[in-house]
Amino acid sequence: MDIRHYPLRRIASVIGASAALANFALTASAKETFFTPPIASFITKVDGPTLRLRLPGGKVEVAQAVMDAARKKHPDAFLLMETTGDLEIRSTALKLDSRTMLVLSPEAGIIAAPDCTATALVTITHAELVSISSSGAGPATLDGGGHDLIGISVTGGKRINIDQLKLTHCGKAGVDYQGCDAAAVNEASSVTRCFFQTNGNGLRVTGTAGFMCLDNEFNSQGDVALAIDSLTSVVAGNTFSANQVAIRADSNRGIIARNVFSDQTALELTTKSTGNLVTENRGSTENLTVTIGGSRHQIFRNEIRGSVKLAPEAREILLLGNNDLTTPAPCTGLQVFNPPTFAHPHQNPMVVPGMKRFDLTVKGGTSAKYLIPVIPVDLAVVAEALQHAREAHPSDVIVLTLIGEFVSRNAEGLKLPPNTCVILDGRILADLGAPLDPLWVREAPLSQLILLPESGFCSFSGGKLDGARQAFFPINANTGSTALIEGVKLTAGARDGFNTKGRNPSSPVFLRQCSVYGNNGRGIWAHVAGRIHAIGNVCTGNRMDGIDLDAGSVDGTALFNICTANQRHGVFIEEAVSHQVAFGNILNGNGQAGVHVWNEEVKGNTGQNVVASNQCDSNRRGVSAGGRAADITAHGNLFFNNICRNNRLDGIMAGNSNATGNYFSQSVVDHNNEKDILNPASGIFFNGVLKSEEKPPAPVKNAVSGMDKFLVTPLPLWASLGAGVLLGLLVARIFRGK
């Protein structure tokens, strides 16, 4: 064949691996990832037989005929189809119907012929339980040859997984996904570990809920790399470069987290979008632009150097802790809060636009010599100094730095006034003269060390808040201010580490990188409150749950936390809450489940929640769901790509008679002591395929920092000792000059 008419991908394969693909592999190995390949095509009994086919390469019509004949003969079967060579598309696309798994490889992809007139390479229409993936070590290629077509076109789809593909030279889009039900997260689909290069658009998503876009790379799209409209979706671990626009989001209450941007237009939140959380994304270059329309978005702790453009109709937009993002002049639709914290004690005079800054330092008890007793300063002294500062500076942001040891002898603790930032370099200890571990009594007067303000902004960072098993809560947030709690040790609360019950739902709270341990109830309790975001915390040894998203919680999240050795659950989602997201957490060694989705007594459904990419190891159960009665249920949740291994009973409890219709997809479930899956008939199960007859190695996922790699997969003792001996010998040789 004349090389001038040969597909571009084949030319690249003849002359060697393309530079872009090599760059993709290098980048993917260095960036944080969240998707773990599943270990089986499906992990529970399916209705009907499973039929494995080998499709011949060449003209797609021949492969389509083989597939159609098999479907006609086995209408209820799952068809697992492996290609033996490139499928060539001319006038018609490859058509996939329900219950189909297409396994491609780096040597056997799908290519457009030079004279291709088809509108897509692959079409999926009104189908469900479909996967397209690569069986090789690298991605399989779908090459549009520069024609005005779509790589994979999905219309009316649900429960479709697309994994480890390279979609290139598709003039319209690499993947165009239109879902079936815009509100049903248990019909969610996914695109993971794909490489989109030199398409018109990369990935377009609409008409669906709970969409998972994880660990993809988007390079050199002519228009928008990712255009997404999906309720409670998750976009994480993706890399964007050389595109006209990286992300354009129409989504409602989506999560956009830990992506890497180098496109000048990094993010557009459109007029249609509402309530998205954009957090911990990074920019790999300068002068990036974030354009914000819509309402109630929370732009939190992103490392992006550039500027924010606000659409005229935008309202209730919060930018918190984005130190390198310049913002427009203050306006009614925008709130900006850049608090100085223990880890980032900046001296910028602007903490809140339009307000001055006043710094106040109060020193507590200190000891100049080891073992000399420290006499703490009463917290009442701090309260008095803070009151005087507020009276003298009523319109300023007060930055209060506390150094040393303090003691709280008043059940009210330190009540923060509005617009106060506290940096603690030391400890506050409760000494209320109260009995230890007081019995729980309904409507008992509350006690705390820190009470957040009723309005305005506030932050508390650093140090240790020790409830001494007397104060109910180290921090009580049952108030109303927009708040950041960062890098604080919250311990020994007689009830919970962090309380929110009865909080004004209009003001969000962010708990980030805190250690919440040894509390008598929950570590972090989101209850009758709105937008409580727990991000990158360590919650361990609490008497109940690490993180509890309880009744009346609205739009709460638990992202990238480590919850271990809690007596009940790592993360508990309960009591008829909806649209909560638990993503990217490490939930090991808890007394009950890693994640439990349940309804005990509130009439309604604990439903439409997303539980994704969590590691649940060595708990009683990995993930579980259930309801107490027909009208007190937990139905229609999404459990995506959770790792459930080595649990004392079961990997997954799919539900019970009062909780059905939960969807478990791309799960990694094995080596559990009793059953990998309990009550499988209660749930819906579908995994895509990684490799034929192969199991991948145990995963390593990042959560709070790189150190969790060692926490999750520790070296064997012999290996640790051997490494220590080798290191010692090496150091000795260096000191001997050898």
Side-chain angles (χ1 to χ4, degrees), residues 440 472-475 490-501 511 516-527 539-551 563 566-575 600-601:
W440 188 89
F472 284 3
F473 318 113
I475 293 181
L490 305 172
T491 187
R495 287 193 179 176
D496 310 298
F498 185 84
N499 175 63
T500 65
K501 185 176 181 181
L511 291 99
V516 188
Y517 59 97
N519 296 285
N520 205 36
R522 293 94 167 163
I524 297 170
W525 194 19
H527 189 197
C539 301
T540 186
N542 298 290
R543 191 168 183 178
M544 295 178 74
D545 315 301
I547 300 170
D548 187 358
L549 306 176
D550 204 344
C563 298
N566 300 287
Q567 290 191 29
R568 200 162 66 174
H569 311 296
V571 175
F572 195 12
I573 302 174
E574 59 167 329
E575 301 309 287
E600 176 67 24
E601 60 183 14

Side-chain angles (χ1 to χ4, degrees), residues 128-366:
E128 65 176 312
L129 303 176
V130 179
S131 72
I132 308 175
S133 62
S134 172
S135 65
T141 297
L142 282 75
D143 190 338
H147 297 287
D148 191 27
L149 52 70
I150 297 168
I152 300 173
S153 176
V154 181
T155 303
K158 56 184 178 180
R159 304 184 182 116
I160 293 172
N161 297 321
I162 298 171
D163 179 48
Q164 204 177 16
L165 305 179
K166 179 184 178 183
L167 297 118
T168 184
H169 297 103
C170 300
K172 288 186 177 178
V175 175
D176 187 276
Y177 184 94
Q178 299 177 39
C180 184
D181 188 335
V185 302
N186 69 338
E187 297 181 359
S189 296
S190 67
V191 173
T192 55
R193 301 191 302 166
C194 289
F195 180 39
F196 294 82
Q197 183 188 26
T198 321
N199 304 292
N201 295 276
L203 169 61
R204 300 189 300 208
V205 179
T206 188
T208 184
F211 196 91
M212 296 286 117
C213 178
L214 308 180
D215 302 349
N216 305 288
E217 178 158 334
F218 298 84
N219 178 263
S220 300
Q221 317 311 311
D223 195 355
V224 180
L226 170 61
I228 185 167
D229 181 1
S230 178
L231 172 68
T232 325
S233 55
V234 179
V235 177
N238 304 286
T239 300
F240 300 87
S241 61
N243 308 288
Q244 288 297 310
V245 177
I247 299 178
R248 180 175 292 154
D250 293 318
S251 297
N252 181 358
R253 290 173 281 181
I255 307 296
I256 301 173
R258 294 195 180 181
N259 302 284
V260 180
F261 299 107
S262 63
D263 296 325
Q264 185 172 10
T265 304
L267 174 63
E268 293 180 356
L269 298 173
T270 70
T271 300
K272 181 181 177 181
S273 61
T274 304
N276 291 284
L277 173 62
V278 180
T279 184
E280 295 191 353
N281 299 284
R282 293 189 292 115
S284 60
T285 186
E286 297 184 356
N287 301 318
L288 304 184
T289 301
V290 175
T291 301
I292 304 176
S295 64
R296 292 176 63 80
H297 301 305
Q298 302 143 100
I299 317 299
F300 174 66
R301 279 290 188 219
N302 298 280
E303 296 181 10
I304 297 175
R305 296 182 297 277
S307 60
V308 172
K309 295 181 180 179
L310 201 67
E313 77 287 346
R315 64 186 190 278
E316 295 185 64
I317 308 300
L318 172 65
L319 277 74
L320 200 164
N322 306 281
N323 297 322
D324 296 321
L325 271 177
T326 59
T327 56
C331 61
T332 56
L334 177 66
Q335 294 182 320
V336 178
F337 184 36
N338 286 316
T341 63
F342 184 84
H344 305 282
H346 69 75
Q347 299 301 314
N348 192 326
M350 189 192 74
V351 176
V352 176
M355 302 180 70
K356 296 180 180 179
R357 167 177 174 165
F358 176 74
D359 284 88
L360 171 68
T361 298
V362 179
K363 293 186 177 180
T366 59

